[in-house]
């Protein structure tokens, strides 16, 4: 074998090895302000139920996962632009989103409900929200619901969108918004730590609108990406080996696990 041929083969092997390694790095787009699923602790480290489960799932698929935090409404554009490889951010699986991304199987259940001051009279009935302002997370299915199901011109409901969740709670406390529409899982976290003591509670019943909110949340990937199948295997693993239940128990007194297919 000539030296030049040998050099080419070695270079080719090294190039293949580098490409294989690159494929094993999965960049996960997520949030940093959506406790208890994703948040930064006092040291600035990314924590949360979904982050801990992601670490376990990355071991199952033998991938090195890197976490990229950004605003919620930037996640799908970043995915399509190949700046990230997956979205793990309590993203509801909806028909609208499935037009542009693929989703894994269900990962968590996330009922949607209003949060308001106890005694405010606010319920799931839009009539109780007339003349009031509702705070929502920008780019969320909650925002889509209010804009499509409750047109402002007909309902008299004002909508105030925020780039993150924490300012919604602050404005709710201050009376700048009279209700917040969010996942009951996220509401539970705030109510237990702050809201209940200040007179807030879940208002009315959960909104039953599968077309808007989907059946639950999943992990989004690019259309046709084989990463979806790998992540489905990992989701099934954590749901059956006790990993999901253990993390669930740390933050909720109820299960948010979907039924296995």
């Amino acid at each position: 074998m000539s030296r030049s041929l040998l050099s080419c083969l070695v270079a080719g092997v090294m190039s293949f090895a580098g490409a294989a390694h690159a494929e094993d790095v999965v960049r996960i787009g997520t949030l940093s302000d959506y406790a208890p699923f994703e948040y930064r602790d006092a040291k600035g480290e990314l924590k949360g139920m979904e982050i801990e489960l992601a670490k376990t799932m990355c071991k199952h698929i033998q991938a090195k996962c890197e976490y990229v935090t950004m605003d919620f409404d930037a996640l799908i554009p970043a995915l399509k632009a190949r700046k990230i490889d997956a979205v793990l951010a309590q993203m509801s699986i909806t028909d609208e989103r499935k037009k542009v991304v693929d989703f894994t199987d269900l990962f968590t259940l996330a009922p949607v409900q209003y949060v308001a001051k106890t005694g405010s009279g606010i319920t799931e009935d839009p009539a109780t929200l007339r003349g009031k302002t509702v705070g929502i997370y920008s780019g969320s299915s909650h925002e889509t619901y209010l804009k499509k199901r409750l047109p402002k011109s007909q309902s008299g409901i004002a909508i105030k969108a925020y780039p993150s969740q924490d300012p919604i709670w602050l404005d709710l406390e201050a009376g700048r918004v009279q209700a917040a529409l969010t996942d009951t899982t996220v509401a539970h976290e705030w109510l237990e730590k702050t809201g209940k003591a200040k007179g807030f509670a879940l208002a009315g019943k959960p909104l039953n609108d599968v077309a808007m909110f989907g059946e639950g949340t999943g992990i989004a990937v690019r259309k046709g990406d084989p990463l979806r199948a790998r992540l489905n295997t990992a989701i099934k693993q954590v749901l059956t080996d006790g990993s999901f239940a253990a993390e669930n128990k740390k933050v909720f007194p109820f299960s948010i696990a979907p039924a296995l297919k």
Side-chain angles (χ1 to χ4, degrees):
M1 184 181 290
S2 69
R3 180 169 295 182
S4 60
L5 179 57
L6 178 61
S7 297
C8 289
L9 287 173
V10 170
V13 170
M14 290 180 68
S15 176
F16 177 81
H21 177 72
E23 289 175 357
D24 285 337
V25 176
V26 177
R27 297 161 300 172
I28 298 177
T30 189
L31 307 171
S32 61
D33 59 355
Y34 210 59
F37 297 102
E38 299 94 10
Y39 62 91
R40 293 197 183 279
D41 64 12
K43 296 180 180 179
E45 296 180 1
L46 195 61
K47 301 287 186 179
M49 179 180 174
E50 284 194 316
I51 300 302
E52 295 309 311
L53 286 171
K55 291 176 182 177
T56 301
M57 291 192 293
C58 288
K59 291 179 182 177
H60 286 315
I61 65 173
Q62 298 182 325
K64 176 184 177 183
C65 290
E66 298 175 350
Y67 303 92
V68 183
T69 61
M70 60 187 75
D71 290 343
F72 188 85
D73 54 7
L75 288 165
I76 287 181
L79 181 64
K80 293 173 67 178
R82 295 184 175 273
K83 294 179 180 179
I84 55 176
D85 304 304
V87 173
L88 180 65
Q90 281 292 285
M91 185 170 280
S92 299
I93 302 173
T94 65
D95 289 340
E96 192 68 24
R97 288 180 178 141
K98 285 193 286 187
K99 293 177 182 177
V100 292
V101 300
D102 282 345
F103 279 100
T104 60
D105 295 336
L106 278 176
F107 187 45
T108 70
L109 302 179
V112 176
Q113 199 164 352
Y114 290 105
V115 179
K117 198 81 170 180
T118 302
S120 66
I122 292 174
T123 71
E124 73 283 0
D125 183 352
T128 66
L129 290 162
R130 286 173 185 159
K132 297 180 173 62
T133 302
V134 181
I136 46 84
Y137 205 129
S138 180
S140 66
S141 56
H142 314 133
E143 180 178 28
T144 304
Y145 170 83
L146 288 174
K147 289 183 175 179
K148 289 192 173 183
R149 294 289 193 256
L150 309 175
K152 186 168 61 174
S153 60
Q154 297 178 24
S155 68
I157 302 170
I159 302 169
K160 188 172 182 179
Y162 297 77
S164 59
Q165 184 66 37
D166 289 344
I168 300 176
W169 299 135
L170 291 174
D171 274 8
L172 186 62
E173 290 180 50
R176 287 184 284 270
V177 297
Q178 289 71 53
L181 183 61
T182 188
D183 295 342
T184 56
T185 46
V186 173
H188 172 81
E189 169 83 0
W190 178 75
L191 287 169
E192 290 300 311
K193 290 184 176 180
T194 305
K196 282 184 179 179
K198 296 189 176 183
F200 293 91
L202 292 171
K205 299 176 182 178
L207 300 179
N208 184 22
D209 194 327
V210 175
M212 282 287 107
F213 304 121
E215 296 179 4
T217 77
I219 303 172
V221 298
R222 283 183 290 277
K223 283 285 187 181
D225 194 331
L227 177 60
R228 177 180 180 273
R230 296 171 67 194
L231 290 171
N232 276 340
T233 299
I235 288 173
K236 186 174 182 179
Q237 181 69 33
V238 297
L239 285 171
T240 56
D241 68 7
S243 300
F244 190 102
E247 292 299 329
N248 192 138
K249 190 176 181 179
K250 291 178 183 178
V251 290
F252 299 120
F254 48 85
S255 175
I256 62 169
L260 284 171
K261 293 182 178 180

